[in-house]
Amino acid sequence: MFVVDQLLLLGAVLILLGIASSKFSARMGMPVLVLFLVVGMLAGEDGIGGISFDNYALAHGIGTVSLAIILFDGGLRTSRRSFRAVFGPAITLATVGVVITSVVTGLFAAWLLELTALQGLLIGAIVGSTDAAAVFAVLRGRGVNLKKRLAATLEVESGSNDPMAIFLTVGILEIMLGEMTLGIGMLWFLLVQVAVGIGGGLLLGRLAVFTINRVNLDAAGLYPILTAAAGLLAYGASASLGGSGFLSVYLAGLIIGNERLVFRRGILVFHDGAAWLAQIAMFVMLGLLVTPSRLTGVALDGLVVAIILIFIARPLAVGVLLPWYGFRAREVLFVAWSGLKGAVPIILATYPLMLGVEGAGLLFHVVFFTVLVSAVLQGWTMPPLARLLRLQSEPPPQPPVSLEITSLRDIDGDIVEYTVARNTLAADRHVRDLRLPDGAVVAMIVRESEIIPPRGSTMVLPGDHLFLVMRPGLRSLVDRLFRPRREVHEVPAETEFPLRGDTTVAEMNEFYGVSLDEDPSATLHDVLLRRIGEDRLDEGSQLRLEHVDLVVRGMYEGTVDRVGLVIHQPQPDQRDGLAGSG
């Protein structure tokens, strides 16, 4: 048997064991990364597999590629709305919070473990960041759905704090090796890392969206590969220019994931699978890298670092920063406890090994033990803590099916899925009475496990999943029908929305929040006919009212078939008027 045959067999077995352990993890409530690490340790030189692996340079390479893939997938799945909503607290924790956590952990570690200040700060920098994949794998695996603002803060913070930990680690290592000075040199290094990382991520993300939607590939399977290449390009280009490749790849994913893409669902499914494969490969490899027999010798030191990190440094950083953004005490407590560690600290712990720093082997195993303690202790207790602090929200109902238009071209339309809640305008109405705008149709209704072909007489019930096909630009109008009544917002101003001519004045008020001083039972055709006059009513005719414009966009046999609704801000001297088409 060739060596490559043996490697393929071994790789397949380890991946299958990793996947099986993830299923076991969900049942036991144990963080999946712990079981991936255990699989690697069992396969290692002290385990039943007996595999000897001590190539730290290769481990660093595999870890870097894996982290880039995981961060890119995280960016793809982070909504721009969530990112903007929690930008302040999340980025503050991801930068200032990491610095506070690292410094406090490092100084305490140096004091208690009798290390030099730089050695202690190096340990603090290595364990300073949190792991997004670990945090949400634990919560989702135990069925915990956090409130939106809290979940978004944790997601953005843990997805964007790795660059700061990497910067601190590399900076301290270069100071220890005499290649950088503490002060101006380190500040300049930070500025270059951040500036190039942000610039590269935003630029290459935009370029990737433009390319993906216009390259016109013949094979659908090439689009996910093209997207992956764009993410790796963002990392490689920024890192080669001295910037933070991890910050760049995360931002590139954020830009790409929030734009309209050709073959979008296929791209997301591909990267979800790639991220899982990267996690399995990385954690199993890191488990192979560690020598379990050496963990007992560093257990006390690792436990000391873990206690400082979990009970002092992280709570101090979060407690100082988050209250400034209006977070309540119980939310601050939960975020402080959610500093779950993952692969990044272990990957960073290979840097001193590759550079030949004195005591690097001991440091690596201390960090590994610290990550294990964090993953087990915090990972097991996060879900019950969220329930105890009453920070859960009802998870959104998931439809048992999905509907997608698969196209190799950019199409002028959207497919949007809505779950009908009881307190929405759409609940307990017939499809024909929904008064959807022109250009939006109900494509499918799913009720429990049954697919119901939509007809005008079909009743829409609470709990139904509706799939609507609509033209771009109609989303804000259609959203009003499916949002809880207390969350319904005004229709955006100065945007023309297409309505049917048989929509009544009462329906205009009920569904779209537009009030007209007319008979509630009158249709838009009736209003336009009375105000403009039969002889002047034609396509293009416009009726200007106090708050809205009604524009005739289509007629059929003398009847107004389609009407454009334009909402504008009322002017002090504005009066009802009209402008005929000729």
Side-chain angles (χ1 to χ4, degrees), residues 132-150:
V135 170
F136 286 95
V138 167
L139 294 175
R140 289 165 185 160
R142 300 282 292 276
V144 177
N145 193 69
L146 295 177
K147 294 182 178 180
K148 288 183 179 179
R149 187 188 184 209
L150 184 60

PDB file of all heavy atoms in Angstrom, residues 132-150:
ATOM      1  N   ALA A 132     -16.037  31.806  18.287  1.00  0.00           N
ATOM      2  CA  ALA A 132     -17.445  31.919  17.871  1.00  0.00           C
ATOM      3  C   ALA A 132     -18.061  30.550  17.620  1.00  0.00           C
ATOM      4  O   ALA A 132     -19.194  30.262  18.038  1.00  0.00           O
ATOM      5  CB  ALA A 132     -17.546  32.777  16.610  1.00  0.00           C
ATOM      6  N   ALA A 133     -17.327  29.693  16.918  1.00  0.00           N
ATOM      7  CA  ALA A 133     -17.870  28.372  16.600  1.00  0.00           C
ATOM      8  C   ALA A 133     -18.158  27.583  17.872  1.00  0.00           C
ATOM      9  O   ALA A 133     -19.198  26.913  17.978  1.00  0.00           O
ATOM     10  CB  ALA A 133     -16.880  27.609  15.713  1.00  0.00           C
ATOM     11  N   ALA A 134     -17.258  27.676  18.856  1.00  0.00           N
ATOM     12  CA  ALA A 134     -17.463  26.933  20.105  1.00  0.00           C
ATOM     13  C   ALA A 134     -18.665  27.467  20.869  1.00  0.00           C
ATOM     14  O   ALA A 134     -19.501  26.703  21.374  1.00  0.00           O
ATOM     15  CB  ALA A 134     -16.205  27.016  20.969  1.00  0.00           C
ATOM     16  N   VAL A 135     -18.788  28.794  20.965  1.00  0.00           N
ATOM     17  CA  VAL A 135     -19.895  29.403  21.713  1.00  0.00           C
ATOM     18  C   VAL A 135     -21.242  28.973  21.152  1.00  0.00           C
ATOM     19  O   VAL A 135     -22.132  28.509  21.881  1.00  0.00           O
ATOM     20  CB  VAL A 135     -19.771  30.945  21.697  1.00  0.00           C
ATOM     21  CG1 VAL A 135     -21.042  31.582  22.250  1.00  0.00           C
ATOM     22  CG2 VAL A 135     -18.563  31.389  22.518  1.00  0.00           C
ATOM     23  N   PHE A 136     -21.409  29.097  19.833  1.00  0.00           N
ATOM     24  CA  PHE A 136     -22.733  28.835  19.266  1.00  0.00           C
ATOM     25  C   PHE A 136     -22.999  27.351  19.043  1.00  0.00           C
ATOM     26  O   PHE A 136     -24.151  26.931  19.013  1.00  0.00           O
ATOM     27  CB  PHE A 136     -22.913  29.644  17.986  1.00  0.00           C
ATOM     28  CG  PHE A 136     -23.137  31.099  18.283  1.00  0.00           C
ATOM     29  CD1 PHE A 136     -22.092  31.991  18.282  1.00  0.00           C
ATOM     30  CD2 PHE A 136     -24.389  31.561  18.628  1.00  0.00           C
ATOM     31  CE1 PHE A 136     -22.280  33.321  18.596  1.00  0.00           C
ATOM     32  CE2 PHE A 136     -24.598  32.889  18.947  1.00  0.00           C
ATOM     33  CZ  PHE A 136     -23.539  33.771  18.931  1.00  0.00           C
ATOM     34  N   ALA A 137     -21.934  26.561  18.917  1.00  0.00           N
ATOM     35  CA  ALA A 137     -22.148  25.116  18.858  1.00  0.00           C
ATOM     36  C   ALA A 137     -22.711  24.613  20.185  1.00  0.00           C
ATOM     37  O   ALA A 137     -23.603  23.766  20.215  1.00  0.00           O
ATOM     38  CB  ALA A 137     -20.838  24.405  18.535  1.00  0.00           C
ATOM     39  N   VAL A 138     -22.205  25.162  21.291  1.00  0.00           N
ATOM     40  CA  VAL A 138     -22.698  24.773  22.616  1.00  0.00           C
ATOM     41  C   VAL A 138     -24.154  25.190  22.782  1.00  0.00           C
ATOM     42  O   VAL A 138     -25.012  24.402  23.206  1.00  0.00           O
ATOM     43  CB  VAL A 138     -21.824  25.410  23.712  1.00  0.00           C
ATOM     44  CG1 VAL A 138     -22.505  25.277  25.072  1.00  0.00           C
ATOM     45  CG2 VAL A 138     -20.459  24.745  23.755  1.00  0.00           C
ATOM     46  N   LEU A 139     -24.463  26.437  22.449  1.00  0.00           N
ATOM     47  CA  LEU A 139     -25.820  26.945  22.658  1.00  0.00           C
ATOM     48  C   LEU A 139     -26.830  26.247  21.752  1.00  0.00           C
ATOM     49  O   LEU A 139     -27.900  25.829  22.200  1.00  0.00           O
ATOM     50  CB  LEU A 139     -25.846  28.455  22.421  1.00  0.00           C
ATOM     51  CG  LEU A 139     -25.051  29.300  23.431  1.00  0.00           C
ATOM     52  CD1 LEU A 139     -25.041  30.754  23.020  1.00  0.00           C
ATOM     53  CD2 LEU A 139     -25.625  29.156  24.824  1.00  0.00           C
ATOM     54  N   ARG A 140     -26.507  26.112  20.483  1.00  0.00           N
ATOM     55  CA  ARG A 140     -27.453  25.490  19.554  1.00  0.00           C
ATOM     56  C   ARG A 140     -27.595  24.009  19.816  1.00  0.00           C
ATOM     57  O   ARG A 140     -28.674  23.441  19.650  1.00  0.00           O
ATOM     58  CB  ARG A 140     -26.989  25.750  18.115  1.00  0.00           C
ATOM     59  CG  ARG A 140     -27.156  27.211  17.708  1.00  0.00           C
ATOM     60  CD  ARG A 140     -26.376  27.544  16.458  1.00  0.00           C
ATOM     61  NE  ARG A 140     -26.463  28.978  16.143  1.00  0.00           N
ATOM     62  CZ  ARG A 140     -25.617  29.617  15.362  1.00  0.00           C
ATOM     63  NH1 ARG A 140     -24.609  28.965  14.801  1.00  0.00           N
ATOM     64  NH2 ARG A 140     -25.750  30.914  15.132  1.00  0.00           N
ATOM     65  N   GLY A 141     -26.493  23.382  20.218  1.00  0.00           N
ATOM     66  CA  GLY A 141     -26.565  21.959  20.517  1.00  0.00           C
ATOM     67  C   GLY A 141     -27.472  21.650  21.691  1.00  0.00           C
ATOM     68  O   GLY A 141     -28.028  20.565  21.782  1.00  0.00           O
ATOM     69  N   ARG A 142     -27.624  22.614  22.609  1.00  0.00           N
ATOM     70  CA  ARG A 142     -28.497  22.414  23.772  1.00  0.00           C
ATOM     71  C   ARG A 142     -29.836  23.126  23.611  1.00  0.00           C
ATOM     72  O   ARG A 142     -30.598  23.246  24.571  1.00  0.00           O
ATOM     73  CB  ARG A 142     -27.786  22.930  25.026  1.00  0.00           C
ATOM     74  CG  ARG A 142     -26.466  22.223  25.318  1.00  0.00           C
ATOM     75  CD  ARG A 142     -26.662  20.870  25.940  1.00  0.00           C
ATOM     76  NE  ARG A 142     -27.214  20.975  27.281  1.00  0.00           N
ATOM     77  CZ  ARG A 142     -26.468  21.188  28.367  1.00  0.00           C
ATOM     78  NH1 ARG A 142     -25.153  21.301  28.250  1.00  0.00           N
ATOM     79  NH2 ARG A 142     -27.020  21.269  29.548  1.00  0.00           N
ATOM     80  N   GLY A 143     -30.137  23.617  22.394  1.00  0.00           N
ATOM     81  CA  GLY A 143     -31.437  24.228  22.124  1.00  0.00           C
ATOM     82  C   GLY A 143     -31.645  25.575  22.778  1.00  0.00           C
ATOM     83  O   GLY A 143     -32.781  25.946  23.086  1.00  0.00           O
ATOM     84  N   VAL A 144     -30.560  26.352  22.994  1.00  0.00           N
ATOM     85  CA  VAL A 144     -30.659  27.663  23.628  1.00  0.00           C
ATOM     86  C   VAL A 144     -30.665  28.736  22.541  1.00  0.00           C
ATOM     87  O   VAL A 144     -29.732  28.821  21.740  1.00  0.00           O
ATOM     88  CB  VAL A 144     -29.493  27.910  24.603  1.00  0.00           C
ATOM     89  CG1 VAL A 144     -29.579  29.312  25.188  1.00  0.00           C
ATOM     90  CG2 VAL A 144     -29.521  26.865  25.712  1.00  0.00           C
ATOM     91  N   ASN A 145     -31.709  29.545  22.527  1.00  0.00           N
ATOM     92  CA  ASN A 145     -31.806  30.639  21.568  1.00  0.00           C
ATOM     93  C   ASN A 145     -31.785  31.956  22.343  1.00  0.00           C
ATOM     94  O   ASN A 145     -32.730  32.301  23.036  1.00  0.00           O
ATOM     95  CB  ASN A 145     -33.115  30.532  20.763  1.00  0.00           C
ATOM     96  CG  ASN A 145     -33.126  31.446  19.562  1.00  0.00           C
ATOM     97  OD1 ASN A 145     -32.398  31.227  18.607  1.00  0.00           O
ATOM     98  ND2 ASN A 145     -33.946  32.484  19.608  1.00  0.00           N
ATOM     99  N   LEU A 146     -30.658  32.674  22.259  1.00  0.00           N
ATOM    100  CA  LEU A 146     -30.498  33.906  23.022  1.00  0.00           C
ATOM    101  C   LEU A 146     -31.287  35.049  22.401  1.00  0.00           C
ATOM    102  O   LEU A 146     -31.627  35.024  21.212  1.00  0.00           O
ATOM    103  CB  LEU A 146     -29.022  34.300  23.080  1.00  0.00           C
ATOM    104  CG  LEU A 146     -28.079  33.352  23.822  1.00  0.00           C
ATOM    105  CD1 LEU A 146     -26.649  33.864  23.709  1.00  0.00           C
ATOM    106  CD2 LEU A 146     -28.476  33.207  25.274  1.00  0.00           C
ATOM    107  N   LYS A 147     -31.547  36.064  23.204  1.00  0.00           N
ATOM    108  CA  LYS A 147     -32.178  37.263  22.690  1.00  0.00           C
ATOM    109  C   LYS A 147     -31.283  37.913  21.644  1.00  0.00           C
ATOM    110  O   LYS A 147     -30.056  37.819  21.703  1.00  0.00           O
ATOM    111  CB  LYS A 147     -32.468  38.228  23.837  1.00  0.00           C
ATOM    112  CG  LYS A 147     -33.522  37.672  24.801  1.00  0.00           C
ATOM    113  CD  LYS A 147     -33.863  38.640  25.926  1.00  0.00           C
ATOM    114  CE  LYS A 147     -34.954  38.048  26.824  1.00  0.00           C
ATOM    115  NZ  LYS A 147     -35.305  38.952  27.933  1.00  0.00           N
ATOM    116  N   LYS A 148     -31.921  38.599  20.689  1.00  0.00           N
ATOM    117  CA  LYS A 148     -31.222  39.007  19.472  1.00  0.00           C
ATOM    118  C   LYS A 148     -29.987  39.852  19.736  1.00  0.00           C
ATOM    119  O   LYS A 148     -28.909  39.598  19.198  1.00  0.00           O
ATOM    120  CB  LYS A 148     -32.183  39.772  18.551  1.00  0.00           C
ATOM    121  CG  LYS A 148     -33.224  38.893  17.887  1.00  0.00           C
ATOM    122  CD  LYS A 148     -34.095  39.709  16.946  1.00  0.00           C
ATOM    123  CE  LYS A 148     -35.128  38.820  16.261  1.00  0.00           C
ATOM    124  NZ  LYS A 148     -36.005  39.606  15.352  1.00  0.00           N
ATOM    125  N   ARG A 149     -30.120  40.885  20.567  1.00  0.00           N
ATOM    126  CA  ARG A 149     -28.984  41.788  20.778  1.00  0.00           C
ATOM    127  C   ARG A 149     -27.821  41.073  21.457  1.00  0.00           C
ATOM    128  O   ARG A 149     -26.657  41.253  21.088  1.00  0.00           O
ATOM    129  CB  ARG A 149     -29.424  42.981  21.626  1.00  0.00           C
ATOM    130  CG  ARG A 149     -28.346  44.062  21.742  1.00  0.00           C
ATOM    131  CD  ARG A 149     -28.741  45.130  22.730  1.00  0.00           C
ATOM    132  NE  ARG A 149     -27.761  46.197  22.764  1.00  0.00           N
ATOM    133  CZ  ARG A 149     -27.524  46.939  23.824  1.00  0.00           C
ATOM    134  NH1 ARG A 149     -28.188  46.732  24.944  1.00  0.00           N
ATOM    135  NH2 ARG A 149     -26.616  47.902  23.786  1.00  0.00           N
ATOM    136  N   LEU A 150     -28.151  40.229  22.423  1.00  0.00           N
ATOM    137  CA  LEU A 150     -27.120  39.497  23.145  1.00  0.00           C
ATOM    138  C   LEU A 150     -26.422  38.508  22.220  1.00  0.00           C
ATOM    139  O   LEU A 150     -25.185  38.405  22.205  1.00  0.00           O
ATOM    140  CB  LEU A 150     -27.749  38.769  24.336  1.00  0.00           C
ATOM    141  CG  LEU A 150     -26.809  38.027  25.281  1.00  0.00           C
ATOM    142  CD1 LEU A 150     -25.814  38.993  25.905  1.00  0.00           C
ATOM    143  CD2 LEU A 150     -27.619  37.310  26.358  1.00  0.00           C
TER     144      LEU A 150
END
